[in-house]
Amino acid sequence: MGMSEPPTHLVPEPALWIGGDRVVESSGGRTEHVYAATGRPTTEVVLAGPAEIDQAVALARESLPGWRDSSAEVRRDTLLRLADLLLVHAEPLAALQSLEIGLPVQLARRMPALAADHVRYYAGWCDKIGGEVVPTWPGRSLDYTLDEPYGVVAGIIPWNGSLMSMAQLLGPALAAGNAVVVKPSELAPFVGQRFVELAVEAGVPQGVVVVVPGGPPAGAALAGHPGIDKVHFTGSAATGRQVLAEASRNLTPVALELGGKSPHVIFDDADLRSAARYAMSGVVALSGQGCANGTRLLVHSAVREQVLQTLTSRLRRIRVGDPADETTVMGPVVSRRACERIVGVIDRARLSGARLLTGGGRCGGDLADGFFVEPTVFVDADGDGELVQEEVFGPVLAVSSFDTEEEAVSLANATRYGLGAYLHTNDLRRAHRVSRVVAAGSVWVNGAPGLMPSAPFGGVKQSGSGRIGGVAGLREFLRPKNVWMSV
Ligand code: NAD
């Protein structure tokens, strides 16, 4: 059975759009987009360079007042229309996302509704943004705060879920009254462009959102641009460090949403079948390329064999393959480079003495031309080694075991990351106790709800400082001004 051809008719003509201006000759040059499932090129992509970033920021600055000063009702209704349009265009958006990174359609089809939920949630905030009256004594003055938008926000987003990234960024940023220059990754340039077309159709004035895909030079130019009032960065910890340095030039505030090495902790009193199923999704969801995937499995020694047996037998049966096939659960990883890097980590883990339970390399046969990596599980890897400490960003799980709750917590906290933590236990007291001491921005007990627009998501330690979702996510795009008046 061969691989389906991707729906290239959905791919936009190679061009950058800066407002109504179509740019085909850019200072960032061009690159080729490659479909991860076949390894074959789909189209050329025009990349923004520093000159186009200048142009984009200038346009956003010019367009800001019209949006910032519009009434809350106008912003609310516009965002509600955008949410509706995401649903109307759900099918082609899902197909485009699938083509962009080889995401299985089964998963891609859930994204437009999730993205619409996020936009709708923040639409609801537009007419609830205010300030507060600050008590003063003995009352001969009035003090109050005004929550104001930053101005022009730079949104630098990764490739691993551009539709959700756009919704999570633009929902709160636009609700708060900011203009936004978004820089998607050169690996995933299409969905962002389509998103902005829908935003304009919904009534967001042209220029309030400018989407300029590009590589690291474009990201650097944007993060360090004097016309940017806040940088909102989602990506790896290594790039986050560079973004901080770039933004420091103008002392621009930065929100960082970075990577993780999230622990999946299974206690001996857990529902083991359900726990093993969730542990499996840490490997296969997004082919292991999710920031919050549970990539370290910590399992109580008493139930270790049982959990590993269920896990490996399920993983061996998982459908890896054609993203366009409705039954495919796991697709390829994003690029040849990512594939080679992941296989390198696997090879080094083997050499370092970790024991391979299943998987262990690239997929062959029909999948040999694409960037497919087998779902891979190692046990007993060196706790200080690369496999346990570094974000692999591929379908690779490292398993360790523990005997006591203290040991479980200490292992869970033994990396520089702190994005998510998954706990499986039927002991309510333990669940609350461990949730308090585990170093993570989010803790999920006995399951995980997926992305909730109303809940704050973000990291501690080197997983970042920003929050996406909920009121905390809105606050990233507002700052209080204090007004004092003598009465
Ligand atoms: P990346 O860090 O390589 O790139 C992220 C973005 O930064 C891209 O748009 C890239 O072009 C840009 N960039 C690269 N160099 C830059 C520079 N010097 N200055 C400014 N921008 C620059 O990450 P990626 O490979 O695109 O995405 C995967 C990473 O993102 C993983 O670490 C993953 O965990 C993380 N991630 C985090 C979250 C979260 O919410 N915490 C969500 C999704 C992904």
Side-chain angles (χ1 to χ4, degrees):
M1 213 179 64
M3 193 67 60
S4 313
E5 285 304 316
T8 40
H9 64 280
L10 295 172
V11 171
E13 287 288 306
L16 283 173
W17 285 92
I18 301 178
D21 285 351
R22 183 163 176 269
V23 178
V24 287
E25 295 295 332
S26 150
S27 67
R30 288 185 173 217
T31 187
E32 205 163 49
H33 174 268
V34 171
Y35 183 46
T38 58
R40 285 197 292 273
T42 58
T43 181
E44 281 203 315
V45 178
V46 178
L47 299 176
E52 293 72 30
I53 293 293
D54 275 347
Q55 225 178 309
V57 174
L59 174 64
R61 287 229 75 85
E62 200 183 296
S63 314
L64 170 69
W67 182 250
R68 182 192 58 203
D69 303 336
S70 65
S71 77
E73 292 78 9
V74 165
R75 289 204 300 279
R76 177 195 64 201
D77 294 347
T78 307
L79 289 180
L80 288 174
R81 277 194 299 274
L82 172 58
D84 288 344
L85 284 172
L86 290 170
L87 295 180
V88 170
H89 296 274
E91 194 57 32
L93 278 169
L96 198 58
Q97 174 99 86
S98 174
L99 172 147
E100 209 172 56
I101 57 166
L103 190 67
V105 286
Q106 198 190 83
L107 188 55
R109 287 216 176 109
R110 285 166 30 201
M111 297 302 165
L114 261 175
D117 267 358
H118 275 70
V119 172
R120 192 168 288 128
Y121 171 83
Y122 282 109
W125 270 108
C126 292
D127 53 9
K128 295 161 194 77
I129 294 169
E132 57 182 4
V133 176
V134 179
T136 55
W137 292 274
R140 282 195 284 273
S141 61
L142 170 67
D143 195 293
Y144 62 94
T145 62
L146 295 169
D147 283 338
E148 296 185 338
Y150 276 85
V152 178
V153 172
I156 300 176
I157 61 173
W159 49 263
N160 70 331
S162 50
L163 185 57
M164 281 314 295
S165 290
M166 291 296 290
Q168 288 170 322
L169 170 71
L170 294 183
L174 292 178
N178 297 278
V180 192
V181 177
V182 190
K183 194 209 76 64
S185 161
E186 71 268 52
L187 292 174
F190 308 130
V191 169
Q193 191 167 327
R194 189 69 193 111
F195 200 107
V196 74
E197 286 165 15
L198 295 177
V200 169
E201 192 179 330
V204 176
Q206 187 76 267
V208 168
V209 180
V210 191
V211 176
V212 275
L222 185 58
H225 202 288
I228 291 298
D229 300 301
K230 171 139 193 189
V231 177
H232 194 275
F233 173 77
T234 308
S236 64
T239 312
R241 212 162 275 128
Q242 292 175 30
V243 167
L244 275 183
E246 288 148 8
S248 73
R249 235 177 286 156
N250 305 299
L251 296 175
T252 311
V254 181
L256 296 173
E257 310 282 347
L258 308 178
K261 193 74 194 180
S262 301
H264 207 110
V265 190
I266 303 181
F267 291 96
D268 53 350
D269 59 7
D271 173 343
L272 298 183
R273 284 181 66 79
S274 155
R277 199 174 67 242
Y278 277 101
M280 182 184 77
S281 78
V283 188
V284 301
L286 289 164
S287 307
Q289 306 167 113
C291 53
N293 282 39
T295 50
R296 287 183 300 138
L297 176 59
L298 311 178
V299 55
H300 192 281
S301 324
V303 294
R304 167 182 154 131
E305 284 320 306
Q306 196 183 337
V307 167
L308 291 183
Q309 216 163 38
T310 315
L311 176 69
T312 48
S313 73
R314 275 173 174 270
L315 281 176
R316 288 191 190 114
R317 278 182 281 131
I318 211 89
R319 286 194 67 113
V320 181
D322 189 349
D325 183 333
E326 314 270 341
T327 62
T328 295
V329 175
M330 194 178 111
V333 298
V334 70
S335 64
R336 186 179 309 279
R337 206 164 131 207
C339 188
E340 285 166 1
R341 184 182 51 73
I342 295 161
V343 170
V345 177
I346 294 174
D347 291 345
R348 287 192 291 280
R350 262 192 180 135
L351 287 174
S352 75
R355 190 157 60 86
L356 182 68
L357 281 193
T358 186
R362 248 180 115 149
C363 300
D366 282 353
L367 306 184
D369 292 337
F371 312 134
F372 292 89
V373 179
E374 296 172 315
T376 297
V377 179
F378 279 104
V379 288
D380 302 330
D382 171 13
D384 296 326
E386 179 186 31
L387 182 67
V388 175
Q389 290 297 325
E390 302 299 326
E391 190 178 39
V392 180
F393 231 54
V396 187
L397 183 69
V399 185
S400 338
S401 22
F402 63 86
D403 289 310
T404 64
E405 186 179 304
E406 293 67 37
E407 209 186 330
V409 170
S410 141
L411 283 172
N413 291 346
T415 75
R416 66 192 158 107
Y417 291 110
L419 194 55
Y422 302 80
L423 310 180
H424 290 269
T425 175
N426 277 316
D427 178 341
L428 202 57
R429 278 175 293 191
R430 168 180 279 153
H432 286 298
R433 211 163 46 225
V434 176
S435 296
R436 281 173 174 263
V437 291
V438 80
S442 299
V443 182
W444 295 287
V445 183
N446 294 335
L451 297 162
M452 283 170 62
S454 50
F457 172 76
V460 299
K461 300 200 283 185
Q462 293 191 21
S463 288
S465 53
R467 288 295 178 272
I468 291 172
V471 196
L474 181 68
R475 292 256 155 239
E476 296 289 354
F477 298 100
L478 288 168
R479 54 183 162 195
K481 173 187 278 174
N482 193 69
V483 182
W484 180 91
M485 196 181 289
S486 168
V487 293

